Amino acid sequence: MRILVTGGAGFIGSHLIDRLMADSHEVICLDNFYTGHKRNILKWLDHPYFELIRHDITEPIRLEVDQIYHLACPASPVHYQYNPVKTIKTNVLGTLYMLGLAKRVKARLLLASTSEIYGDPDVHPQSEDYRGNVNTIGPRSCYDEGKRVAETLAFDYHRQNGVEIRVARIFNTYGSRMLENDGRVVSNFVVQSLKGQPLTVYGDGSQTRSFCYVSDLVEGLIRLMNSQHTGPINLGNPDEYTILQLAQTIQNMVNPDAEIIFKTLPQDDPKRRRPDITKANALLNWQPTLPLQEGLKLTIEDFRNRISSPEAQHLASI
């Protein structure tokens, strides 16, 4: 098949492209390189079945494809809050244009939605029928509400125009190729411990998250796309850890002498987050397979190689 991946040079998108290329599909990668990076897709640039288009999806584009994995949008607070208006435009206009493209060429579209649509949840764990607790005017709402509107658009295009959609609600994902400066908790702790800096925990560290390794997530996305289930379907690891537990785990793996310091919790930061993956398990026969300890080893190794590379040291000195 010919498959379009928006945000294909990003963290999750590039891992997805690796799988699609390995499965002998023809892949078009669309990215504006706001948080994506060419190094993530470097090995495919000369491949006859791979095409890279630098494009911002807040502008329309015409292509002929069979499937669309719509992943384009900054997903970490540091990046999506840097330009909140751009973030909501990416989620709303970008999704609108991609659904319009899917309608015209009769492609199936998978929307990468997010656990953030549940906000700071009153229900735990979160299942797909929970409608969320989102602050519509808070600093995170450009992303949370943007993704909620994207889901609305997807289902309206499905009902009104018969567009085939798949909606994945992605929970915390980590792994190689995460950006060093994305402000997410795993990358923060790994980079801080590798650089011998104190590990910064926000709040008292009792808030919880669930961490899914990127290869497990990609498997879930591909299964959902090729299933008969519209969704939304939660994709994440149901193992729940406190932020302090995560900090201590990474501290012990990298630098046991590193200090842990505590700072004020940001506004609207969810207190608990854990997916109910009953649906994914029953409908897609999917569940994560890589334990946190093993996934962290791979992630730390990847960060270590990047941080110690001459290119990284050159950039740090500028």
Side-chain angles (χ1 to χ4, degrees):
M1 281 191 282
R2 182 184 286 174
I3 300 175
L4 170 64
V5 181
T6 73
F11 162 48
I12 293 173
S14 62
H15 282 281
L16 174 63
I17 284 175
D18 288 352
R19 270 292 303 272
L20 296 174
M21 291 297 293
D23 292 342
S24 302
H25 295 292
E26 198 175 323
V27 176
I28 301 171
C29 168
L30 207 65
D31 210 295
N32 70 348
F33 296 103
Y34 173 52
T35 57
H37 205 288
K38 259 190 193 165
R39 67 170 175 243
N40 293 338
I41 48 167
L42 212 50
K43 65 180 168 191
W44 302 119
L45 289 181
D46 294 326
H47 197 286
Y49 289 168
F50 180 79
E51 196 176 337
L52 170 63
I53 302 173
R54 183 188 283 265
H55 179 79
D56 191 312
I57 58 159
T58 59
E59 303 290 336
I61 190 165
R62 289 184 179 270
L63 297 163
E64 296 288 328
V65 292
D66 304 306
Q67 290 184 342
I68 302 167
Y69 285 89
H70 178 36
L71 275 62
C73 184
S76 69
V78 168
H79 294 126
Y80 68 65
Q81 289 173 6
Y82 175 73
N83 189 341
V85 172
K86 179 74 174 179
T87 297
I88 201 153
K89 281 172 79 173
T90 300
N91 277 318
V92 178
L93 289 176
T95 302
L96 200 57
Y97 291 139
M98 285 302 122
L99 285 162
L101 174 62
K103 177 188 166 187
R104 277 196 307 277
V105 301
K106 297 186 166 42
R108 180 180 293 179
L109 179 142
L110 182 145
L111 170 67
S113 187
T114 171
S115 61
E116 296 294 336
I117 66 133
Y118 299 124
D120 187 4
D122 300 318
V123 170
H124 193 78
Q126 295 80 53
S127 63
E128 291 85 352
D129 55 7
Y130 174 54
R131 292 183 182 178
N133 174 35
V134 174
N135 176 1
T136 60
I137 57 169
R140 298 169 73 102
S141 58
C142 58
Y143 184 68
D144 305 2
E145 289 295 317
K147 287 291 190 184
R148 285 162 75 98
V149 172
E151 285 197 13
T152 303
L153 284 167
F155 276 89
D156 284 341
Y157 263 79
H158 174 61
R159 284 186 289 255
Q160 187 176 324
N161 301 307
V163 174
E164 275 198 72
I165 60 163
R166 303 289 181 265
V167 177
R169 289 180 179 164
I170 299 170
F171 282 68
N172 286 53
T173 306
Y174 72 102
S176 59
R177 303 181 197 160
M178 290 182 89
L179 286 173
E180 297 94 314
N181 62 344
D182 72 0
R184 286 192 260 197
V185 66
V186 172
S187 46
N188 272 4
F189 290 159
V190 171
V191 169
Q192 287 170 341
S193 52
L194 285 170
K195 289 184 171 179
Q197 299 167 345
L199 277 64
T200 309
V201 171
Y202 292 93
D204 61 3
S206 63
Q207 66 273 33
T208 67
R209 295 291 183 273
S210 306
F211 302 99
C212 183
Y213 193 70
V214 64
S215 57
D216 281 331
L217 177 76
V218 164
E219 178 64 30
L221 292 173
I222 290 171
R223 286 190 190 200
L224 175 58
M225 173 65 99
N226 297 304
S227 76
Q228 295 309 305
H229 304 289
T230 301
I233 288 186
N234 287 340
L235 294 177
N237 194 320
D239 293 343
E240 190 178 6
Y241 298 88
T242 69
I243 297 300
L244 189 55
Q245 277 177 315
L246 179 73
Q248 289 164 340
T249 303
I250 293 172
Q251 177 194 40
N252 291 332
M253 290 173 79
V254 181
N255 182 4
D257 297 328
E259 187 189 353
I260 293 178
I261 58 173
F262 296 86
K263 290 193 176 175
T264 311
L265 195 66
Q267 185 186 338
D268 301 328
D269 196 64
K271 287 179 278 299
R272 301 184 79 188
R273 189 61 73 63
R274 178 186 166 210
D276 179 334
I277 60 164
T278 309
K279 255 191 175 179
N281 202 284
L283 301 177
L284 309 177
N285 191 25
W286 177 86
Q287 62 183 33
T289 57
L290 200 74
L292 183 65
Q293 203 81 12
E294 283 181 44
L296 284 176
K297 263 186 210 163
L298 297 169
T299 308
I300 289 163
E301 200 51 43
D302 175 65
F303 272 107
R304 185 175 274 127
N305 292 338
R306 277 189 283 156
I307 286 170
S308 61
S309 73
E311 182 195 7
Q313 287 167 358
H314 171 66
L315 289 171
S317 67
I318 294 171

